Amino acid sequence: MRLTDTAIKNAKPREKDYKLFDGYGLHVLVTRSGSKLWRMKYRYRRREKLLSFGPYPLVTLKHAREKRDDARLMLLEDRDPSEEKKRARIERDRERAVTLGAVAQEYLKKLEKEGRAPATMKKLRWLVSLIEPQLAERPLQQIEAQDVLRLLRKVESNGTYETTRRLRSTIGSVFRFAIASGRASSDPTDALKGALIRPTVKSRSAILDRLEFGRLLNAIDGFSGQPATMHALQLLSLMAPRPGELRQAQWCEFDLENAVWRVPPERMKMRRPHRVPLATQCLGRLCDLRRHTGDSAFLFPSARNWRKPMSENTLNAALKRMGYGSDKITAHGFRATFSTLANESGLWHVDAVERALAHVEVNEVRRAYVRGEHWDERVEMAQWWADQVDAMRESSRSG
């Protein structure tokens, strides 16, 4: 006879535990203390086993029967319901341990081992710190697109659209890392493409007029601050490297006899070694600079500690001091000046200019075929550009 709610409610405790049966092994165990616990007795591969469903009335009669039927279906598929229950519990525990914050820290350690630049790691750690604690402590499998969007909207409300975009990208990278390692099944940030305010792309300021650039060069020559800062700006105008690559340059990287600067991959944006041909003007500047900073490992050591390179703000601060604020030019803008004038000259192959700037071809198919450094052409171009720099400096004096 099948059980009823009335029969279960009216069941009283006895001197010994006893059972009220419902069918197909399902029963209620009534204990001496008065507890009423759902159990299911079944056989799996000739062994008698017992499955627990929880206490009555928290687990209702209807719910207990549904659990029993689910267990019977597993048996039909030759699966042990007890083992399936253990496996589900282990999986839930594993998911609870795999939180967004924990995987984000693991992802950062991976990037650090891959040799990402300290400045890059600093920015990524800062972005990860923007993830609110309540979201960082959530299991990855429980985080949906709306959860991430709520976080991004708060950051976006401050008007920091570029930060919001980078944060979405970073969270997406963490999820893809988790997917690759089997700890997540999807990336919720995919659904957020187009949901955020797109930041206005603003190019770094640069001087493209030859006469005006010549005036800047003369201003640098007359700079009254630290000699190392003046030399850094002069070499920046001659070689057009990324400011960070030049700022952290070390004397051991320069082969003055063969007129080449070898930048190690760990300091390059794309993590590839890069060679820079040195024009005669560069060699002269470097020899002069060595008299000032040759006792340091760095070409441009910090004024406070010669064991560290100069601050990343030093060059832009020096330009501002000379009257060239960020609305006119930045340290990075010297690269745009070189690129524009070199390409406009029509003398050099566009790939040679791109290699000089250490740019990597975006098109994957084309990148597979364009692998050369264009070294010989770049050596000629380096000397041509240094001569152009001298000519622009001289022209502005008489202009």
Side-chain angles (χ1 to χ4, degrees):
M1 183 175 176
R2 286 161 59 90
L3 283 174
T4 64
D5 274 315
T6 302
I8 301 172
K9 287 176 183 177
N10 292 335
K12 305 298 181 183
R14 302 174 184 173
E15 290 184 5
K16 293 183 180 180
D17 296 349
Y18 66 97
K19 302 171 185 175
L20 300 175
F21 291 94
D22 184 63
Y24 299 105
L26 180 65
H27 60 271
V28 174
L29 176 68
V30 184
T31 69
R32 286 178 297 175
S33 64
S35 298
K36 299 171 183 179
L37 308 173
W38 287 109
R39 298 285 189 268
M40 176 183 173
K41 187 164 59 176
Y42 68 97
R43 299 186 70 85
Y44 180 73
R45 296 184 180 179
R46 299 184 180 180
R47 290 183 58 191
E48 187 173 285
K49 307 189 79 171
L50 195 65
L51 194 60
S52 299
F53 292 152
Y56 177 89
L58 186 63
V59 177
T60 65
L61 175 58
K62 179 183 178 182
H63 194 188
R65 285 170 175 168
E66 289 173 351
K67 286 177 173 289
R68 176 197 61 192
D69 292 343
D70 289 340
R72 292 181 66 202
L73 284 173
M74 291 181 195
L75 290 169
L76 284 175
E77 298 170 353
D78 195 28
R79 292 187 293 144
D80 185 352
S82 293
E83 291 301 317
E84 293 294 328
K85 186 177 179 180
K86 289 179 184 177
R87 190 176 294 111
R89 184 176 63 250
I90 292 171
E91 182 63 24
R92 286 196 301 271
D93 291 343
R94 189 180 73 89
E95 286 181 5
R96 280 195 289 267
V98 182
T99 63
L100 176 58
V103 178
Q105 293 303 320
E106 189 179 332
Y107 174 67
L108 291 176
K109 288 180 181 178
K110 170 184 174 289
L111 297 182
E112 200 165 24
K113 289 179 180 178
E114 290 175 350
R116 296 295 179 95
T120 300
M121 294 306 304
K122 183 179 179 181
K123 290 176 183 177
L124 286 172
R125 289 192 189 94
W126 175 71
L127 285 168
V128 168
S129 74
L130 297 179
I131 302 174
E132 295 177 336
Q134 57 266 40
L135 187 60
E137 294 169 8
R138 291 262 303 272
L140 286 177
Q141 297 283 16
Q142 296 180 12
I143 297 175
E144 299 181 353
Q146 294 89 339
D147 301 315
V148 180
L149 183 60
R150 277 193 291 271
L151 168 67
L152 297 177
R153 287 285 189 230
K154 289 183 180 179
V155 179
E156 188 181 64
S157 65
N158 296 323
T160 51
Y161 304 138
E162 180 61 24
T163 297
T164 307
R165 184 188 69 82
R166 290 180 180 275
L167 180 57
R168 184 193 73 84
S169 175
T170 300
I171 293 175
S173 296
V174 172
F175 268 95
R176 288 190 292 277
F177 172 68
I179 292 170
S181 52
R183 292 172 293 178
S185 55
S186 62
D187 173 14
T189 65
D190 279 344
L192 302 181
K193 292 177 180 177
L196 302 172
I197 297 174
R198 183 174 296 179
T200 302
V201 178
K202 185 178 180 181
S203 301
R204 292 183 176 92
S205 299
I207 296 175
L208 306 180
D209 179 77
R210 295 175 65 90
L211 188 62
E212 182 59 31
F213 191 67
R215 294 193 184 102
L216 169 61
L217 294 169
N218 281 300
I220 293 172
D221 292 344
F223 181 65
S224 58
Q226 291 288 335
T229 304
M230 177 189 69
H231 280 87
L233 290 169
Q234 289 172 334
L235 288 170
L236 201 63
S237 68
L238 288 167
M239 297 187 294
R242 294 183 179 91
E245 295 161 8
L246 181 67
R247 183 174 57 83
Q248 300 178 71
Q250 299 187 34
W251 286 110
C252 62
E253 300 165 3
F254 286 80
D255 181 353
L256 300 185
E257 184 177 346
N258 292 303
V260 61
W261 171 26
R262 293 182 174 85
V263 189
E266 59 268 19
R267 221 170 56 247
M268 295 299 297
K269 182 177 181 180
M270 304 307 295
R271 292 297 176 268
R272 298 184 179 187
H274 182 56
R275 291 193 301 167
V276 180
L278 302 174
T280 54
Q281 290 91 328
C282 292
L283 295 173
R285 300 285 185 191
L286 289 167
C287 289
D288 189 28
L289 175 64
R290 200 157 213 167
R291 290 196 290 270
H292 295 280
T293 65
D295 292 335
S296 171
F298 295 100
L299 274 69
F300 310 105
S302 167
R304 297 180 179 179
N305 185 351
W306 273 36
R307 294 182 180 180
K308 294 182 178 181
M310 66 167 53
S311 163
E312 61 181 330
N313 298 320
T314 301
L315 298 181
N316 283 330
L319 288 169
K320 187 175 181 180
R321 182 175 166 184
M322 290 183 285
Y324 291 88
S326 59
D327 58 325
K328 293 183 179 179
I329 190 170
T330 64
H332 204 280
F334 284 82
R335 290 165 60 79
T337 303
F338 161 74
S339 176
T340 301
L341 298 184
N343 279 304
E344 285 181 352
S345 72
L347 299 172
W348 316 105
H349 195 288
V350 64
D351 287 335
V353 178
E354 291 298 290
R355 294 301 172 275
L357 293 166
H359 285 166
V360 174
E361 173 59 50
V362 176
N363 185 293
E364 291 186 6
V365 176
R366 191 168 186 274
R367 183 167 66 235
Y369 292 95
V370 183
R371 298 182 181 178
E373 286 189 285
H374 296 264
W375 181 253
D376 292 339
E377 184 175 2
R378 284 175 53 203
V379 170
E380 291 184 35
M381 183 168 55
Q383 188 57 57
W384 168 83
W385 176 246
D387 293 340
Q388 290 295 306
V389 167
D390 285 346
M392 285 185 280
R393 178 187 288 108
E394 187 61 35
S395 177
S396 69
R397 288 174 185 167
S398 56

